[in-house]
Amino acid sequence: MTCQGIDLLSTKAAGDDHGENSSYFDGWKAYDTNPFDLRHNRGGVIQMGLAENQLSLDLIEEWSKNHPDASICTPEGVSQFKRIANFQDYHGLPEFRKAMAQFMGQVRGGKATFDPDRVVMSGGATGAQETLAFCLANPGEAFLVPTPYYPAFDRDCCWRSGIKLLPIECHSFNDFRLTKEALVSAYDGARRQGISVKGILITNPSNPLGTITDRDTLAMLATFATEHRVHLVCDEIYAGSVFATPEYVSIAEVIERGVPWCNRDLIHIVYSLSKDFGLPGFRVGIIYSYNDAVVAAARRMSSFGLVSSQTQYFLSRMLSDEEFIGRFLQESKRRLAARHERFTSGLREVGIGCLRGNAGLFSWMDLRRMLREKTAEAELELWRVIVHQVKLNVSPGTSFHCREPGWFRVCHANMDDETMEVALGRIHDFVRQHQQRRVKAERWAANRQLRLSLPHHHHLNPAHLSSPLALLSPQSPMVRATS
């Protein structure tokens, strides 16, 4: 576009603050230009940067075939065509809101109840987060977010609303757990800078860590929010993807049973069917707020991102089938657990560890020992090698605002078993090559040190002089990144 063309646009349209100039999205672009395919392009880039759940879609497909009346585009369901096709109420179909509230309770093991009248629709969790940002804060005001956090929050929450996200620094020495000390430090630091803190945003289960927030921490957050009159937004988009102990705890359960005296007007939940159900294309996001004014305002805003009435109708029928949902959730957790174990055990075979996780569609992989040095630049250097040479689109920790270089999020639920084995094979080959280079480098360094320490009158073995290790500098222990 010419400069003249740019001048015709708004500042927002012409600007570059959307957030796509990030290594998180750059990896996706590398995949898009050369996507892996088992049959047609086995040398392509494998997508391991997309948190998508494809492990249980066959169960939904089977339900759809067995319930043709759930669609208004079949002979069995066409009698509802006119009603659904003409539905325009941005409150949403009553049966959809009722089914969604029921489903949210079922996902949380019946330990919390949800009121259909507080369910507000949105175009995916992306739209839900932005709507809450508009409802809860003014431009320039801030939300505190524990690190590492989902990179697209910078887009979802900030791009159009103008609010800020400020980090609550968490660390690997305690498995990146959020502490009250870190929260208070971030809050006080923002206040010293003259920034108005309007809320706290967490993901539970965590993206990218794959861990859950425990009951005591949630109670601490609800208490802090009440005492400081700030909002608490809990993104629970992976609530149904907890596949191992400890059990998941929702903020809804905590405020009902743990700290019932907290100010519920400050508590808000974001949910979606994109992850637990593997239906991101349906664009079903949910805002659930305990604040009447927020529900009213968010519902008015939802007219900018409604879920199609056809989608609502189909989902209301499926989510109301409690027996099917119970089987689906159980089988989905079983498959997620099996995939997580296979992938992490495959990494352990070559000495690669991950943060111990029990939720989500990914693992937080520890490659700190493979860094040339402990810097963000070295992490990105390693990442470029993995993307362009190993051809795996993994996401570097720096893109998640992690301050400790060497952590990577690796998604492993968005592919079939055979593709995952190909990915593990590539990781194995890369790590072993790296280890071989490191051994050669260490031998060369030790040999050189030995020669330097020998007396000047010492006669060197001619065979030793002809050794490549004695005469040649080794290759770098890190494969050089391509530009």
Side-chain angles (χ1 to χ4, degrees):
M1 183 180 291
T2 65
C3 292
Q4 184 178 5
I6 291 177
D7 291 342
L8 295 174
L9 301 179
S10 70
T11 302
K12 186 68 66 179
D16 191 30
D17 55 352
H18 177 269
E20 285 191 355
N21 55 343
S22 159
S23 53
Y24 176 73
F25 291 105
D26 286 344
W28 286 29
K29 296 168 187 174
Y31 166 78
D32 287 340
T33 58
N34 184 24
F36 174 86
D37 186 277
L38 274 170
R39 295 177 180 81
H40 306 295
N41 188 23
R42 292 184 69 92
V45 177
I46 296 177
Q47 175 62 287
M48 305 189 82
L50 178 60
E52 191 173 83
N53 187 355
Q54 297 187 17
L55 300 183
S56 300
L57 285 177
D58 60 302
L59 302 178
I60 296 177
E61 291 174 355
E62 181 183 3
W63 188 92
S64 302
K65 292 177 182 177
N66 294 334
H67 296 81
D69 56 328
S71 171
I72 61 174
C73 298
T74 63
E76 294 83 354
V78 73
S79 63
Q80 294 293 316
F81 184 90
K82 184 177 181 179
R83 177 175 79 92
I84 299 304
N86 285 301
F87 183 82
Q88 302 179 62
D89 187 350
Y90 55 66
H91 287 70
L93 284 168
E95 58 262 46
F96 170 74
R97 289 186 286 112
K98 179 181 178 181
M100 180 58 72
Q102 175 183 300
F103 173 69
M104 289 174 67
Q106 195 169 355
V107 164
R108 291 154 182 80
K111 297 177 181 178
T113 56
F114 296 90
D115 180 356
D117 289 336
R118 294 193 176 279
V119 172
V120 181
M121 290 184 303
S122 179
T126 293
Q129 289 288 1
E130 184 184 62
T131 298
L132 278 176
F134 277 122
C135 287
L136 304 180
N138 295 311
E141 295 177 330
F143 272 69
L144 304 178
V145 191
T147 62
Y149 66 82
Y150 175 49
F153 276 163
D154 297 313
R155 172 200 67 195
D156 301 352
C157 300
C158 307
W159 183 41
R160 298 197 296 184
S161 73
I163 74 165
K164 303 175 183 291
L165 295 183
L166 301 179
I168 304 171
E169 297 294 347
C170 302
H171 305 280
S172 62
F173 66 78
N174 68 343
D175 295 334
F176 297 98
R177 292 189 181 93
L178 172 61
T179 65
K180 184 175 181 179
E181 291 75 18
L183 172 59
V184 170
S185 176
Y187 180 83
D188 290 345
R191 301 271 294 195
R192 284 194 297 271
Q193 297 177 56
I195 300 174
S196 173
V197 175
K198 293 303 293 288
I200 306 162
L201 168 61
I202 69 166
T203 55
N204 180 33
S206 167
N207 174 12
L209 301 177
T211 57
I212 65 169
T213 304
D214 62 72
R215 189 183 306 274
D216 290 343
T217 302
L218 290 171
M220 179 272 290
L221 288 167
T223 301
F224 185 93
T226 297
E227 292 174 347
H228 292 79
R229 293 185 58 78
V230 297
H231 295 280
L232 175 59
V233 177
C234 295
D235 187 327
E236 300 188 347
I237 193 172
Y238 294 100
S241 300
V242 179
F243 50 79
T245 55
E247 292 185 353
Y248 177 69
V249 180
S250 169
I251 189 64
E253 179 185 349
V254 170
I255 65 173
E256 284 183 20
R257 304 179 184 181
V259 284
W261 46 265
C262 77
N263 187 347
R264 294 193 178 196
D265 282 346
L266 300 170
I267 309 297
H268 321 276
I269 297 172
V270 171
Y271 191 55
S272 166
L273 297 183
S274 297
K275 307 302 181 181
D276 292 344
F277 251 64
L279 300 175
F282 278 35
R283 307 310 304 144
V284 179
I286 296 297
I287 296 169
Y288 189 90
S289 177
Y290 293 87
N291 186 312
D292 293 341
V294 170
V295 170
R299 187 158 284 147
R300 291 193 292 269
M301 290 184 184
S302 72
S303 60
F304 294 101
L306 288 174
V307 179
S308 107
S309 55
Q310 182 180 357
T311 299
Q312 291 183 55
Y313 181 72
F314 173 81
L315 290 173
S316 69
R317 299 293 302 275
M318 183 171 63
L319 298 179
S320 297
D321 188 342
E322 290 189 61
E323 183 181 350
F324 166 73
I325 295 300
R327 291 199 312 270
F328 176 88
L329 292 173
Q330 184 177 9
E331 178 62 14
S332 177
K333 291 178 181 181
R334 187 193 68 80
R335 295 182 186 185
L336 283 171
R339 174 58 62 87
H340 179 270
E341 173 56 28
R342 173 65 193 112
F343 184 77
T344 55
S345 65
L347 294 181
R348 288 195 297 271
E349 291 172 8
V350 287
I352 299 299
C354 294
L355 185 72
R356 183 185 175 115
N358 68 324
L361 315 174
F362 33 73
S363 294
W364 191 235
M365 182 171 65
D366 184 0
L367 298 185
R368 287 176 293 178
R369 290 187 298 175
M370 296 185 70
L371 296 182
R372 174 176 50 81
E373 59 185 12
K374 295 180 180 180
T375 63
E377 291 75 17
E379 177 185 280
L380 290 176
E381 177 184 305
L382 175 59
W383 169 76
R384 293 188 189 99
V385 171
I386 296 173
V387 172
H388 297 295
Q389 296 184 19
V390 187
K391 295 185 178 179
L392 300 175
N393 175 30
V394 302
S395 304
T398 49
S399 68
F400 292 83
H401 301 271
C402 183
R403 294 287 296 274
E404 298 182 31
W407 294 91
F408 293 78
R409 191 192 72 168
V410 190
C411 301
H412 44 63
N414 63 345
M415 62 190 72
D416 56 41
D417 291 342
E418 190 173 350
T419 301
M420 188 195 63
E421 294 300 333
V422 173
L424 278 174
R426 291 183 183 183
I427 294 173
H428 285 193
D429 291 343
F430 174 61
V431 172
R432 285 167 179 154
Q433 290 171 11
H434 172 81
Q435 291 170 342
Q436 290 170 2
R437 290 187 182 92
R438 173 168 289 179
V439 168
K440 287 182 179 179
E442 291 173 351
R443 287 176 178 172
W444 180 86
N447 199 6
R448 182 173 181 273
Q449 185 63 36
L450 176 62
R451 294 203 321 273
L452 291 175
S453 65
L454 289 173
H456 291 294
H457 64 274
H458 185 86
H459 296 290
L460 294 175
N461 187 325
H464 176 247
L465 283 174
S466 64
S467 166
L469 288 177
L471 300 176
L472 300 177
S473 173
Q475 295 181 4
S476 166
M478 168 51 59
V479 181
R480 285 297 169 193
T482 56
S483 60

